[in-house]
Amino acid sequence: MSKPAVLFVCLGNICRSPLAEAAFRIEAERIGLDVAIESAGTGDWHAGEPPDRRAQATALRHGADIGAYRARQVREKDFQRFTHIVALDPRNLAALQALAPAEGRAELSLLLDHVEGRQGLGVADPYYGDEAGFETVWIEVTRAARALAARIAASL
Ligand code: 4NP
């Protein structure tokens, strides 16, 4: 199998998927998994912008500097480039399924499907909430990142 490549996808690519990307980077490093990692949004409103400052602060508290991340929209060639495309909620999974070309190689999944007992659920959008919502996102994406990284490592 070629080197794994994982793309995390939410709506804006400024709150949840950058945190999933950061948590997965930490986990991949911890277990020594050689993997390409990016994030993107199904929407394009925030393309070119850094993550929401509350997401940046949350990541920093957990040892990850995501200030250089820049939002981008998912594109068709992502379905060839990545081995795994992981949606942060069911709505974005449906958007990805609608976008996926027939010849894509990426395995599509929902992030919380990788967490025992949380299958089918979405990570709640913290954009219109307060700081605490970002901490909840961090906890959820970290749990899922651990499970996903272990699963990919076991498949190599
Ligand atoms: P994200 O959060 O999908 O976790 O990045 C959002 C960010 C921006 C918007 C919606 C969700 N927005 O509508 O601008």
Side-chain angles (χ1 to χ4, degrees), residues 53-132:
R53 58 181 171 70
R54 296 164 296 176
Q56 291 193 45
T58 300
L60 261 189
R61 275 200 306 279
H62 294 281
D65 183 351
I66 62 171
Y69 289 15
R70 291 295 177 266
R72 72 164 176 91
Q73 190 174 28
V74 175
R75 39 187 178 252
E76 197 170 316
K77 72 172 191 226
D78 288 325
F79 293 87
Q80 287 299 341
R81 266 186 67 208
F82 291 91
T83 55
H84 299 73
I85 300 183
V86 185
L88 273 284
D89 63 27
R91 179 181 159 195
N92 285 296
L93 179 61
L96 287 167
Q97 284 162 342
L99 208 61
E103 70 279 12
R105 70 165 178 156
E107 170 202 294
L108 303 188
S109 67
L110 192 58
L111 184 74
L112 292 181
D113 276 352
H114 302 286
V115 179
E116 196 60 44
R118 303 294 310 282
Q119 285 90 350
L121 300 177
V123 175
D125 185 349
Y127 187 63
Y128 295 104
D130 58 15
E131 293 263 356

Side-chain angles (χ1 to χ4, degrees), residues 10-17 45-46 125-128:
C10 63
L11 184 59
N13 192 210
I14 57 169
C15 298
R16 291 166 293 174
S17 61
W45 315 283
H46 296 281
D125 185 349
Y127 187 63
Y128 295 104

